[in-house]
Amino acid sequence: AIRNNVDSRVNFLEGDLFGPLEGKGLEGKAQMVLSNPPYVPLTEREKLEPEVRDYEPHAALFGGEDGLAFYRRIIREAPSYLMKGGYLILEIGWGQANEITGLLKAEKYEDVFVRKDYAGIERVVRARVRRASRLD
């Protein structure tokens, strides 16, 4: 931020997912939440290349037994901070699109869209928090 001369406009918060935002008056104000959470299932650990498995921080790689632990939390907690119609955008692992889109549709999201990378692999999921209806 200093190097790019934006330090007066940027605040860095460190903590467990949305924890650092609690009590800061940000509920319902974010237009977008973007995340590249750990998504490798622990069951896949031994299948990883040694240079990844042995040298990358495990906290950055593994998302629980099925790789979806962080997605469940983010999908559940993000609507508290997103404005109605705000977007949640997630990088996903290979073969996780169906499960993650199912989690989104079961929660407070609509317009769920999956984007493929240049290799044709489903890599990003975008969803919008349901907009207010007349019943809200």
Side-chain angles (χ1 to χ4, degrees):
I2 293 170
R3 183 177 358 164
N4 292 298
N5 200 29
V6 296
D7 56 310
S8 64
R9 299 182 290 153
V10 176
N11 292 314
F12 293 97
L13 304 172
E14 182 180 349
D16 184 20
L17 293 181
F18 295 98
L21 303 179
E22 291 176 12
K24 301 222 182 283
L26 299 172
E27 291 81 3
K29 295 189 177 176
Q31 294 177 0
M32 191 178 303
V33 169
L34 298 104
S35 181
N36 177 13
Y39 54 75
V40 177
L42 281 171
T43 56
E44 304 274 324
R45 184 184 188 288
E46 295 306 315
K47 296 178 186 174
L48 293 175
E49 296 293 326
E51 57 271 15
V52 173
R53 179 186 64 231
D54 298 337
Y55 297 100
E56 292 292 327
H58 287 189
L61 292 174
F62 300 107
E65 287 298 316
D66 64 356
L68 302 176
F70 289 98
Y71 293 98
R72 288 184 188 95
R73 284 189 56 203
I74 293 167
I75 289 167
R76 184 177 62 246
E77 296 174 21
S80 295
Y81 294 95
L82 286 165
M83 60 180 52
K84 297 288 184 190
Y87 285 95
L88 175 60
I89 301 173
L90 302 165
E91 181 174 344
I92 62 172
W94 183 86
Q96 294 177 327
N98 287 340
E99 289 180 82
I100 293 170
T101 57
L103 292 169
L104 287 160
K105 290 174 182 177
E107 286 287 336
K108 302 173 181 175
Y109 299 90
E110 62 188 7
D111 301 330
V112 178
F113 174 77
V114 178
R115 177 118 183 152
K116 294 180 181 180
D117 64 15
Y118 291 122
I121 299 169
E122 295 171 318
R123 184 60 65 196
V124 175
V125 174
R126 182 198 72 208
R128 182 171 32 206
V129 172
R130 287 193 185 110
R131 291 179 237 154
S133 70
R134 291 187 297 169
L135 301 176
D136 287 344

